[in-house]
Amino acid sequence: FNPLTKISYAIPDASPVRLSVYDMLGREVSVLVNEKKPAGRIEVTFDASALASGVYVYRLAAGSTVLTRKMILVR
């Protein structure tokens, strides 16, 4: 992505959601969502214009489910 991307996810039940972005050293660089969300499909825009090119990981924790995915920022 360059430098905006959309992260979309769906949750089956209303639950607390935390969506965070980390660099490859494990440092948290952004918290995109940290609140209770209703059930359904949700889309969040991540603006990485202040970050350097490289590999980043986002972590989605919703209820008892945790999902981790890799993203590559190319400038």
Side-chain angles (χ1 to χ4, degrees), residues 4 6 8 14-16 23-24 27 30-31 37 40 42 44 46 49 53 59 68 70:
L4 292 175
K6 293 185 180 186
S8 52
S15 64
D23 64 13
M24 290 309 292
R27 295 179 296 211
S30 181
V31 176
K37 291 289 191 177
I42 301 164
V44 178
F46 174 49
S49 58
S53 295
R59 181 178 184 268
T68 305
K70 183 171 41 171

Side-chain angles (χ1 to χ4, degrees), residues 5-58:
T5 189
K6 293 185 180 186
I7 300 171
S8 52
Y9 59 92
I11 52 176
D13 301 311
S15 64
V17 174
R18 182 172 174 90
L19 178 58
S20 305
V21 178
Y22 298 88
D23 64 13
M24 290 309 292
L25 297 176
R27 295 179 296 211
E28 187 175 72
V29 296
S30 181
V31 176
L32 304 175
V33 178
N34 190 20
E35 61 188 6
K36 187 170 184 174
K37 291 289 191 177
R41 187 163 182 81
I42 301 164
E43 187 172 88
V44 178
T45 301
F46 174 49
D47 182 2
S49 58
L51 299 176
S53 295
V55 179
Y56 294 87
V57 174
Y58 70 84

